[in-house]
Amino acid sequence: RIAAPAPWGDDRADAACRVEIAGLLENVMPVIGIDGIQALQQACKFLDDYLEAKMDVLDVRFPTGEPYRRLS
């Protein structure tokens, strides 16, 4: 799950999306960008990289049952 971008930092000038992977990533992680668009882009990249790294040890699938494939 990627949450909508929200203001982040002491001056609230940056933005962050909280990222959660139920059953895999125990802590909700903020992924930070210079604005909401970059934070969302970075969160998608983080999820893609994280799931790619887990593919060797896990059968990663979408809720539909379709196997996970990299975004790029």
Side-chain angles (χ1 to χ4, degrees):
R1 178 184 338 213
I2 299 175
W8 186 266
D10 292 337
D11 59 2
R12 317 272 294 161
D14 295 329
C17 293
R18 294 190 180 276
V19 176
E20 175 184 8
I21 305 173
L24 288 179
L25 191 60
E26 293 185 19
N27 296 321
V28 176
M29 298 186 55
V31 178
I32 302 164
I34 60 170
D35 59 22
I37 298 295
Q38 188 190 40
L40 188 57
Q41 179 187 28
Q42 294 290 86
C44 290
K45 182 171 180 358
F46 170 80
L47 280 176
D48 190 42
D49 291 345
Y50 186 87
L51 292 173
E52 176 71 17
K54 295 293 183 184
M55 289 178 71
D56 291 342
V57 294
L58 296 173
D59 183 21
V60 180
R61 295 182 175 271
F62 289 102
T64 62
E66 183 179 345
Y68 178 76
R69 291 185 193 90
R70 283 202 64 107
L71 294 173
S72 50

